[in-house]
Amino acid sequence: PSCCFDNFRKLKVPFPWTSMRLPKAVFPVHYDLSLHPNLTSLDFSGVVRIQLDVREDTRAIVLHAKQMHISNVFLLSPEGVKPLEVLEYPRFHQLALVSDTTLTKGRKYEVHLEFAANLSDSFHGFYKSSYRTSSGEVRVLASTQFEATFARGAFPCFDEPAFKANFTIQIVREPRHIAISNMPKVKTVELPGGLLEDHFDTTVKMSTYLVAYIVSDFLSVSRTTQHGVKISIYAVPEKIDQTAYALDAAVKLLDFYDDYFDIPYPLPKQDLAAIPDFQSGAMENWGLTTYRETALLYDPEKSSASDKLGITKVIAHELAHQWFGNLVTMEWWNDLWLNEGFAKFMEYISVDLTYPELQVDDFFLGKCFEAMEVDSLSSSHPVSTPVENPTQIQEMFDDVSYDKGACILNMLQDFLTPEAFEIGIIRYLKKYSYQNTVNSHLWESLTDVSLHKEFCSKSNLQSGASKWYSGEELDVRAIMDTWTLQEGFPLVTVEVRGREVRLSQERYLKTDDPSLTEGFLWQIPLTYKTSASNTIHRFLLKNKTDVLYLPEEVAWVKFNVDMSGYYMVHYAGEGWNSIIKLLQHNHTALSSNDRASLIQNVFQLVSIGKVKLDQALELSLYLSKETEIMAVTQGFGELVPLYKLMEKRDMPVLENQMKGYIVELFRELIDRQEWTDSGSVSQRMLRSYLLLFACVRNYAPCVEKAMQLFNKWKESDGKMSLPVDVTMAIFVVGARTPEGWDFLFEKYRSSMQMSVKSRMKTAMAVSPLQDKLAWMLEQSLDGAVMKTQDLPDVLVSISRNPRGYKMAWDFLRRHWHTLIKRFDLGSHTVSFMVAGVTNQYSTREMLNEVQSFFNSLTEESGSEMRCIQQTYETIEDNIRWMDTHLPLLQNWLNKHSGKLVHEDL
């Protein structure tokens, strides 16, 4: 039911407030929250007493509550206790507590409410989770996920980020469970009937979305940081032996942030809990961060290099939030990127300095490419964009807020210098601790750092680089507003004529309507280097066009050095030819980031007609000599989607030619990979990637080796230890036969190793066995054998599978209403499924089919979601690409088939 109130439904009094945002007349100061969850009947009851600060005279206290039974509501005022009339407005999840006398500004009041509700069967609010022990027993726990608007489903509260307050929490539990929350436990009281009540210390002043509590039978391991903070990792008992790495990483990273931000972590402890059912990757609740099990648990014997990097980054992300987001919080969700862009950016800064051997820098670029993918559509949105309802708020948790946010911060750090950037960040955090901020507060803190002198010396004042400023003081806000308040990103066209370099900027947009690119202008911190020297030159491009002069003529010029800027570059005239020549004869003259960005730029420029496909493919030929992970994976990232489009159309000849070209291009690199776990993290991740690709593409030497290893592993009943980095390739080949698939599934069922399970699950989903794929989808939806949290990954893997994509699309349509209820409208998970299932279609028929389904929805069932517009645009773009380029691709492949030259190897 929606909120149901004793006796109040009969009153037809109008609700005293009409806006979705709460009024600013009353602010909470302190919540006293007592909860009693029942893990047998799967419901909970509670009492909340909220101390109020009345800032304007009012008769109504308006706050949030969602789907709960409210009773026994009264006001404690200086005059004594009196009942309040309760009105509800379910559409906005609001309650109004109406007094028959005025609450006076400046006086202190307290409101008391009792409430009861069911534990949620989704992944948010106060929800039920369960796990199966190795003996097959199912055990239940209850955990919370309140960001962005779900605290209101667990207790009545002012559920907006600017209503910060202190929280004192008590939880009733059975002796067989433990309870944990944001703060340490101060005491446990025995209640009649054998129950226990844990009392937790009062929190610091914080937003409702960061409150957390868990009732479970978890075990924990603990250590103390150099700064005296107690770190504990909680997990289900049988997985507690997979927590050592996370404990190490959390201690190291919390100490790092303590020093970097020059602000002590303000709580006595930080718990990290691995929750068996969890929708996203992790959540930064203050003092009790929560994680999907795969994002926290690590087994040195069975987890891969990429698992280690992934876990370290997730912990780094959530701990960065303890300052960025928790201590200083955005005023409203329109500036969510101040939380998420920063935490994403700090992942790379912190892991690079604490775990240099993980080579995290090799992967930052990928985030910017991912952001550009959605930011190149006209349905994109500015980093900072107005939102009002819960669906729109959920939609903010996307690649633009996280990845573009991180990329523009990286560009700004490069522009200001890391030292100046850090000083500005510390100033911002210290100035706004325990408060809420907007975009401009950050820019002011960064502008205040007096940079003028360092900057001019840094830019060497060569070749027009003094134009960083042209003498005026640096205005960070003026620059950054162009990156946060308008959507999209610039394409800078560079034309070299002798010593003269002509520059122009326009919006990069995949569209056949050129009017959509008009009216955009950015202030772009350009960087470039030339064949003449290794110096990085700098130039701030503020106008639509400009000219700069080189000290001498050069053979080549590369703009956006290491792709530290969030923009693409087109080299007009002979520009691309000189770059192709350089890559073919001396590719290491450029860094691997530069090479990756050239691959990405040239293929993306084909999409908008700036570069001919032949030229991009000519550039790709140099990849036969490439060995660095970012450039290799970007090569795959541009070439593989071309045959993925063909797999969903009937064109096997061209499709196989394209696949053959890619295998041939990387064949020598694939042949050099050993089936072991040796080498650096980047080399190990590259090995996993290449051998998986080769096996999926049926490259004979790879398939034979994988089959041989799979059979040995199967004969040992899964006891033989396989090299971790190649298990995915081995499982994928093994899952092609019904016996192999069934064996893999049995091992999946009984395994307690999260990273191994995750690889088995992916291998089973790329199998050609259609009956198995259909069964996997149904089981994931059911949730008993395969977790529903894994359904989105399974669904998208199957939709990428040439034998499964029709089934995935049918499944998405058939179960749409269940999926949006389970995973929530507007969530990143829902848009991941929508895009994943539809974005490789490239025919009018499929576009019509996709449109007719989404057009049949109502707003309540998601018709207004941004991901639907993004999908239409992506399919339109695919159709345009195929119509324009298929004949060219055919001709080029005919010319080059079997002619790859390896003369330099």
Side-chain angles (χ1 to χ4, degrees), residues 21-31 48-54 60-65 93-95 97 103 111 113 148-149 151-152 155-165 167 206-209 211 332-333:
R21 296 281 298 273
L22 296 179
K24 302 267 193 289
V26 177
F27 275 68
V29 177
H30 178 265
Y31 292 77
V48 66
R49 297 211 326 267
I50 312 172
Q51 280 178 26
L52 303 173
D53 169 18
V54 177
I61 300 160
V62 181
L63 72 170
H64 290 109
H93 313 147
Q94 288 174 355
L95 295 183
L97 314 178
L103 280 66
V111 60
L113 304 96
T149 56
R152 63 191 66 172
F155 61 97
C157 57
F158 295 78
D159 199 13
E160 291 182 10
F163 288 94
K164 288 190 171 185
F167 296 81
M206 64 187 223
S207 304
T208 48
Y209 77 87
V211 172
W332 179 244
W333 302 104

Side-chain angles (χ1 to χ4, degrees), residues 411-431:
M411 174 167 71
L412 182 60
Q413 177 186 252
D414 181 65
F415 178 73
L416 296 177
T417 75
E419 302 71 30
F421 183 81
E422 185 179 352
I423 294 165
I425 292 311
I426 292 169
R427 167 171 302 159
Y428 167 79
L429 288 171
K430 286 184 173 170
K431 183 171 180 182

